[in-house]
Amino acid sequence: MPDTPDTPTRRVGSTYRVQVRPGFDLDTTAGLAGYLADLGVTHLYSAPLLTATPGSQHGYDVVDHRAVNPELGGEAARVRLVRALRAVGLGLVVDIVPNHAGVARPAANPAWWDVLRRGRDSAYARWFDIDWDRGRLLLPVLADTPDALDDLKIADGELRYHEHRFPIADGTGDGSPRQVHDRQHYELVSWRRGDRELTYRRFFAVADLAGLRVEDPEVFAATHAEVLRWAAAGEVDGIRVDHPDGLRDPAGYLARLRAAAPQAWLLVEKILEYGEELPDWPVDGTTGYDALAAVGGLFVDGAAEADFTALDARLTGRHTSWQDLTHDTKLAAATRLLAAELTRLAALAPELTPDSARAALAELAACFPVYRGYPPHGARHLAAARAEAGRRRPDLAPALDAVTRRLRDPDDELGVRFPQLSGAVMAKGVEDTAYYRWSRFVALNEVGGSPAHFGTPAAEFHRFAAARQVRWPAAMTTLSTHDTKRGEDVRARLAVLSELPDRWAERVTRWTAAAPLPDPAFAHLLWQTAVGAWPIERERLHAYAEKAAREASVATSWADPDPGFERAMHALVDRMYDDPELHAELTAFATEITPAGWSNSLGQKLVQLAMPGVPDTYQGTELWDNSLVDPDNRRPVDFGVRREKLARLDAGLPPAVDASGAAKLLVVSRTLRLRRDHPELFAGYRPVPAHGPAAAHVVAFDRGAADRGGSPPAGLHCAGAVAVATRLPLRLARAGGWRGTRLSLGGNSVTDVFTGRVYSGAELLLDDLLATLPVALLAPTDSVEAAA
């Protein structure tokens, strides 16, 4: 982050994400303040609070930027929340949605309603990214039948289509419903036609979310006034910016936001591809998907990659290339899901035929290696895309050259808009499609991850963390969000499979033979998911299977569901519960690998909480959590159970690493408290090497700052908090355990925050340190009492 004299009004040390929603409103959230303070976080991190589509369970479909959502309790409840947080020393971080607004129910969105009524003459016409030159504003709400418009009605001065309501322009209300419709500034069309011809920019392929033009200063001011008022009043300490890649000019937008909220902790939901650097924006960092990938990979055995590749080929009957798969899914996203956006872009290249312009732009988007390019690295990414596109489609060389020349010009409208397409193509083609088709090893199929990159060696992680400490020390770290494909503990258990590839191959081969599915790749994904989340309620696994299969779009899809395949898929899920032999084997196998999964869970949680950055804990994940993709990961959380368990820990009752999850709650609460009470112990970063036969099974680092000369002290002098975590626990056990493996202690007296044991002497034996838990957090003894 660039140097700036501004600092947050209340230092954000750690956050706890709460999905504030109808049914769990702001007053209910305020009731968590005491528990969150006891847990050790410094800030509540909320879902969007502005007025959303009535009934919205997530808040990312804002319909009125002027007020707090009345379904959350409105402004009065927001004030009560702030007071409750302040009473226990906590602050607030809010989520904002600059890219789009909710338009599913036009009457709920005053600006959109006015645009529909008045067209280009509306005072709000400039708010939305609408291509008025292509004719009327198309609204994809009709059934895909030729006589759908026959169901139009006029009632209460509005045009009605079933439950949908639309305004009628002044002076156009006479005649039949069809005649009235034909006079409006909008045209109701089928969703299939909308996908091809939509005349407004959407969020990805979601027609219910219309793109906003926040690059316009007036639109920015109108849509941000309320949140900025909170920040100016010191009631908000941090702002999380949703989906900046969708904006026309993210850098310009963030500069304006930073100027308007100079003291805010400012984060962007920017998905970085493997090895990609965050642009030099005036922000504090990303929301942490890069950290998620690096941390999770630590607990995956990279030596198993060839075994899983071979297993994938045996199960599917073919070799699947990740590069080819993602190219094909991205190309399909560009030409099908995002066909309307592609058509709009192609119209900006009149020097080419429409077909050649569409083909060249789609191929470049499919070959673009990152979500979108930004100066100064954008030219490099564009060159890589052009080279790969030319290799795949040499017949398009002239069109590719013509388009690429245009895209190099930052002032060219085609060059400005193409990145909005390339980001959407990456999200829809990879995250929402390829991740559900590539089932080689689904623990790696996560937002911000790279499934082709099999695990993270400890040395690579240390390089990542040290660089993060230097460049983005206030960026967020996370393991779970509302957008992750699987919960952190599901991925941690699945990582265990990398330690027993032969065992897994034997089991899943037998299972898929006993209960075959027409799509063997999807069957492998489903069995992995079941093992990772088991025991999971039947209806939850059914819901996941249906969503995952339709997202994969191989044997069925959202647009064209295949009833036969889906019956077979649901029958397979039912067999997991109803077939005695399959159920017993699945349960036994999941039970067998669960203890190693718990070890991985504790290890990755400690690393995430203790590494450089500001750690976030997603609601409920302070205990074991077997959530899958949304809406499963937005399920209600039993905070009463968590309060009770935390009170028992604080009473001195030692936790076991068992199904209760108390061990994870211990790691979360003690690490967060130490960070909150002694931030000076987390001011730097250096790896702590282990010595001995099992050295490869430990990852350890010291968060103390280097001395004034810039050199770290020799040995483990505990300059700060030292995190120690176990890697690859099954291989460790097979090799005979720690067997004298040690860390150099340097003679200082340190205390393990988790167990309370005090250590001193020149060396620390890991079989002693990790005898109770597979993790340890060491701190100078005089710093521990407050955190414990």
Side-chain angles (χ1 to χ4, degrees), residues 31 70 155 182 224 254 409 563 632 746:
D182 291 345
H224 289 68
L254 293 168
D409 183 353
D632 194 67

Side-chain angles (χ1 to χ4, degrees), residues 655 657 755 757 767-775:
V657 184
T755 64
R757 292 186 60 186
D767 54 4
D768 184 25
L769 176 65
L770 304 180
T772 303
L773 295 172
V775 293

Side-chain angles (χ1 to χ4, degrees), residues 33 275 339 422 558 648:
S422 70
W558 294 110
R648 289 172 61 86

Side-chain angles (χ1 to χ4, degrees), residues 351-424:
E351 67 273 24
L352 299 173
T353 66
D355 286 346
S356 62
R358 285 173 55 87
L361 288 165
E363 193 64 47
L364 283 171
C367 295
F368 214 78
V370 296
Y371 274 69
R372 60 182 287 175
Y374 294 97
H377 303 300
R380 182 184 70 200
H381 298 313
L382 179 59
R386 169 61 185 89
E388 179 63 11
R391 184 185 73 82
R392 291 180 179 274
R393 291 292 304 273
D395 58 304
L396 287 177
L400 288 169
D401 287 338
V403 167
T404 302
R405 282 194 297 270
R406 296 276 306 278
L407 297 184
R408 291 194 186 107
D409 183 353
D411 297 320
D412 190 308
E413 184 69 7
L414 184 64
V416 170
R417 286 192 174 274
F418 177 78
Q420 293 175 295
L421 175 69
S422 70

Side-chain angles (χ1 to χ4, degrees), residues 432-446:
D432 291 345
T433 305
Y435 279 1
Y436 293 98
R437 292 188 188 180
W438 173 268
S439 56
R440 180 180 71 164
F441 184 62
V442 300
L444 302 174
N445 295 16
E446 196 49 83

